[in-house]
Every structure is written in C-alpha cells, then in structure tokens.
Amino acid sequence: MKRQKSFSDTGARLLLIPSPIGNLSEVSGRIREAVEACDVIACEDTRNTGKLLSLLQIRKPLISHHEHNQSSSIPRILEELTAGHTVGVMSDAGYPVISDPGQNLVRAVIEQDIPVISFSGPNAALNALVASGLDARHYLFYGFTDSKSSRRRKELEQLKNLPWTLVFYEAPHRIAQCLADMEEVLGNRQACLARELTKKFEEYLRGTLQELRQAAADGLKGEMVLVVAGHEPEEADEAAACRQVKELMAQGMKPKAAAKQVAKETGLSANGLYQLILKEQD
Ligand code: SAM
C-alpha cells in the first residue's frame, strides 16, 4: 500500500484540473487556486487552455499533451515533476482522463511515487445523468462507442443485459446512426439526450430511443450525452431462464451451478433464479 500527500503540501505533484464544459462561471475558487499553484500546465490543446487561462487572467507555461504525442510529452512532464515542480493537467472540457488524455500520464506519475491530486468540477456525463430522470443509483459510464456501426453493435451486445443505466458520449454527426443501433440492439428503452449542457441552448430530450432517433433524423446539433435505461428483466425473460436452468439440471448440473451459468448468459441474478427454482420445486 502507498500513501500520498494532499494538495496543501507543496513540491512535485500532478494536479488533475477540470475545466468548464460550456459555462465559464463554473470555474470555482478552488480550480483557480489549483491553476495558480501550477508551475506548468500540460494540456490537450494549448490554444484552448491558453484562452481559458487568459480569461482567468492567469499566465502559466503550457505543454502540449495529447493522445498522439504522449510518448514524448509524458517523459517531458516527468522531468518537470522530478525537478520538484507542480504540473497541472487540463483538457478542453470537463475532467482530464474522462474520454480525454491523461490516463497513461496518471499511471506513469503514480509509478514514480509522485502525488496525483484531483479537483472537483464540471463533467458532462454526470450533469446529464442526474437530470435524466433515469436510475442514477447504479450506472455505467461508457463514453464514446466505436464510430463504425458494426463495431458499435458488438459493443452494445455486451451492454444489453446489464441492469444499470448506461451513459454515452456521442458526436452530433453520428447520433442518428448511434440511436438506430441502440434501438435495434438494446430495444426501445427510455433514454435522455442532454445537449449543450450549461450553454445557452441547453436542452434535454426525454423519451424512448425510437422517439430520440426520430428527433435526431430532423437534426440535432451541439455536444451531447446520451443516457439510456438499463436492462429490465421481464417476467417472460425469467420464465425462459428458469426453463434453461431446469434443462441444465436435467443434464446433471447442480441447481446453483445451473442458475449461475444461466445468470451469466442472461444478465439475471443467479440468486434470484436459484430462489425461483427452489420455489418451483417446493
Ligand atoms: N472530459 C470531458 C468530461 O469530463 O465530460 C469529456 C470530453 S469528450 C472528448 C467530449 C464529449 O463530452 C462530447 O463529444 C460530448 O459527448 C460530451 N460533452 C462535453 N461538453 C458537453 C456539453 N456542454 N453538453 C453535452 N455534452 C458535452
């Protein structure tokens, strides 16, 4: 086990600093404090972060750090940290690392036993989830699906039996095809498309995947998050699953093992299936 220092200690540390997803007033006092504490800031796009910093009237040296230059930018950032400097990481919007650069850098810095500290701030997925009206007790953040429909459908196949609310990022030019794929693979579930969050034309479209697909066919612009209800096992699913369990038992499998196997295939609860079988046997 390793323990690390907090933000209040100075010296070498990596600060993960979120930026606004639209509304600049969402820069908190603490985010400003974090930016001011940096000796240098590694950012996805130096022009965009530069603009944000000039609005905040803060000047800091910027290093470009993104997916395509990380083999050179990570060693450069580690050099800064080894020299005892505080390095900030910022992306164009929201949290670094979340569907944005930073993951490999965070790992590399942790490996060097250098503190990594995060700051609270805007995140498009959470904004959309909490306003969607869908079950937010348990959710799965998926981010972007593949841009190719055939590969996206394969990804959706893996998600279709999960009982948790699903949260996706999507680009406006792909949303219509993405919704069509979802309707086909996941079924016509309830969903919410949250668009232009925190901006002037912020909008929430709540309805079925089919209704959202129809709205997207008329054209939906801007940045968007799609929140989709999780799989709700229907009674018919349970009855079919019980039959499968009994078939496996007839082949000699123990009830618990059979329930476990069918649960894995259907996404239903193993214990729930086992209890149903016991009830039927009584
Ligand atoms: N790191 C960011 C975060 O923490 O939310 C996400 C960055 S990802 C590259 C960009 C995607 O986030 C967009 O394509 C969109 O799906 C979503 N997004 C970002 N800003 C948004 C906004 N204001 N409204 C809706 N979705 C947004």
Side-chain angles (χ1 to χ4, degrees):
M1 193 199 73
K2 290 174 181 172
R3 294 182 124 161
Q4 74 161 61
K5 296 186 280 181
S6 79
F7 177 51
S8 54
D9 297 312
T10 52
R13 63 225 162 127
L14 189 77
L15 309 184
L16 302 174
I17 308 174
S19 34
I21 57 168
N23 192 318
L24 294 178
S25 320
E26 292 198 337
V27 173
S28 68
R30 188 162 152 86
I31 287 183
R32 180 180 272 282
E33 212 182 301
V35 173
E36 274 166 352
C38 294
D39 294 300
V40 56
I41 296 180
C43 46
E44 185 183 7
D45 186 322
T46 52
R47 282 163 309 177
N48 292 341
T49 301
K51 270 187 215 155
L52 177 64
L53 294 202
S54 75
L55 284 167
L56 300 177
Q57 297 182 314
I58 301 174
R59 285 170 79 104
K60 292 288 168 186
L62 303 177
I63 303 175
S64 162
H65 166 64
H66 50 74
E67 207 189 326
H68 306 291
N69 78 352
Q70 49 181 329
S71 58
S72 59
S73 59
I74 293 180
R76 161 97 173 78
I77 293 163
L78 289 176
E79 262 174 41
E80 291 283 344
L81 292 164
T82 314
H85 295 155
T86 294
V87 180
V89 186
M90 296 179 82
S91 64
D92 287 349
Y95 275 84
V97 181
I98 301 297
S99 299
D100 265 336
Q103 178 72 84
N104 293 337
L105 174 62
V106 167
R107 287 209 186 110
V109 174
I110 290 172
E111 263 170 34
Q112 299 294 316
D113 274 342
I114 294 170
V116 175
I117 297 155
S118 69
F119 291 80
S120 307
N123 166 251
L126 285 179
N127 275 39
L129 174 70
V130 296
S132 69
L134 297 171
D135 190 349
R137 285 171 304 169
H138 306 288
Y139 63 91
L140 184 135
F141 170 70
Y142 196 82
F144 291 99
T145 54
D146 201 283
S147 56
K148 265 192 126 182
S149 182
S150 56
R151 289 208 284 251
R152 178 186 300 123
R153 281 166 193 240
K154 280 195 188 135
E155 291 176 290
L156 294 171
E157 284 291 343
Q158 293 183 314
L159 303 175
K160 78 173 181 193
N161 289 323
L162 300 179
W164 314 302
T165 300
L166 304 169
V167 185
F168 300 95
Y169 286 159
E170 195 45 279
H173 63 281
R174 285 203 284 260
I175 192 66
Q177 185 58 52
C178 177
L179 286 162
D181 290 339
M182 286 185 175
E183 190 187 338
E184 197 171 312
V185 180
L186 304 177
N188 192 19
R189 299 185 187 180
Q190 286 297 316
C192 171
L193 189 145
R195 222 168 55 80
E196 295 288 89
L197 291 163
T198 77
K199 301 186 200 174
K200 188 173 172 194
F201 296 108
E202 176 168 18
E203 186 185 29
Y204 298 85
L205 291 88
R206 300 183 182 92
T208 61
L209 283 172
Q210 188 182 49
E211 287 167 335
L212 295 185
R213 176 174 58 76
Q214 282 156 358
D218 296 336
L220 284 176
K221 293 203 176 102
E223 298 198 275
M224 48 190 73
V225 181
L226 187 58
V227 187
V228 181
H231 173 65
E232 276 183 31
E234 289 162 14
E235 279 180 28
D237 288 349
E238 278 184 352
C242 279
R243 275 199 301 279
Q244 265 178 275
V245 174
K246 281 190 232 156
E247 276 165 26
L248 291 174
M249 284 164 58
Q251 290 163 24
M253 205 181 251
K254 293 244 163 61
K256 262 195 180 159
K260 208 170 166 187
Q261 180 169 321
V262 175
K264 214 170 165 190
E265 287 164 14
T266 59
L268 296 173
S269 141
N271 189 41
L273 282 177
Y274 180 61
Q275 295 302 332
L276 282 174
I277 292 293
L278 289 186
K279 223 176 180 180
E280 282 191 19
Q281 283 178 339
D282 272 349

